[in-house]
Amino acid sequence: GVKLVEPSDFTGSLRNRENIYHKIGNMLDSAKQSVVLVTSAEGLIRKNDLLKKSLKRLKDRNVKIRIVAPITKENLDATKELVKFAEVRNTQRINARFAIVDENEIMFMVLDDKDVHSNYDVGIWMEAPFFSKAIIDMFNVVWNNLEDSRSVIVKLGGKK
């Protein structure tokens, strides 16, 4: 009665940023409790452009959404849009790109988006509760020490 679970059935690598965002969109569609997005300053703009509708649906379903990214004058408009659906916090020190859904499924990008053309971006997807929970535990420690996006918006000249 024991069923062997093959780890390779729950992992995959994706090449090309379009494919990565498609997979992240699928992950978001299945979210029931929580979504964590950590991204670059440029990635925040892309997420606003490509995932805003999904994030709005998640908010309407009471899914908790947390986003961490460097907030800059260049992505201020995207930040103002995303705070309608998510808690957004500012970081100037964390340089990472990943998405975690329901502390179960994770997509992390292995290259810096400043250094790679979108066609050659690489993401690793895993359905791995143990690994995802470990990353979330570390994320939670950092989250509590990050600046809230609303104060950054005011500092950069935008309105709350």
Side-chain angles (χ1 to χ4, degrees):
V2 175
K3 182 179 176 187
L4 178 64
V5 176
E6 188 62 43
S8 63
D9 292 343
F10 302 100
T11 62
S13 67
L14 296 100
R15 183 176 300 260
N16 185 313
R17 200 167 291 148
E18 185 177 325
N19 295 332
I20 292 168
Y21 272 95
H22 180 73
K23 180 62 179 174
I24 291 172
N26 288 340
M27 291 168 60
L28 295 179
D29 289 344
S30 69
K32 293 179 180 25
Q33 298 171 340
S34 66
V35 169
V36 167
L37 299 171
V38 176
T39 191
S40 64
E42 299 81 10
L44 193 68
I45 296 168
R46 287 191 300 270
K47 282 168 184 57
N48 181 56
D49 292 342
L50 299 171
L51 301 176
K52 183 170 42 178
K53 288 179 184 171
S54 293
L55 295 173
K56 181 184 182 326
R57 281 193 299 270
L58 291 173
K59 182 180 190 285
D60 293 342
R61 291 190 342 233
N62 295 315
V63 173
K64 181 179 181 179
I65 305 165
R66 297 185 292 171
I67 301 172
V68 171
I71 300 173
T72 64
K73 282 194 176 286
E74 293 74 26
N75 68 18
L76 192 58
D77 289 338
T79 303
K80 287 187 218 178
E81 282 296 309
L82 290 168
V83 297
K84 296 174 184 175
F85 316 113
E87 276 188 84
V88 181
R89 299 234 175 137
N90 179 44
T91 182
Q92 300 301 321
R93 297 183 348 202
I94 299 171
N95 188 21
R97 299 186 301 142
F98 61 85
I100 302 176
V101 171
D102 293 337
E103 297 184 6
N104 178 57
E105 197 174 3
I106 184 169
M107 167 75 75
F108 59 94
M109 281 51 76
V110 297
L111 303 169
D112 190 334
D113 61 353
K114 292 179 191 144
D115 298 335
V116 65
H117 186 276
S118 64
N119 289 342
Y120 300 103
D121 207 356
V122 175
I124 306 293
W125 167 82
M126 291 188 289
E127 190 173 317
F130 177 76
F131 181 67
S132 298
K133 179 79 169 91
I135 299 298
I136 287 291
D137 288 344
M138 288 184 276
F139 173 85
N140 287 335
V141 171
V142 173
W143 174 260
N144 294 325
N145 295 311
L146 295 175
E147 185 177 23
D148 187 276
S149 60
R150 290 172 291 208
S151 62
V152 179
I153 289 169
V154 171
K155 274 194 261 183
L156 292 175
K159 294 181 178 145
K160 274 191 181 180

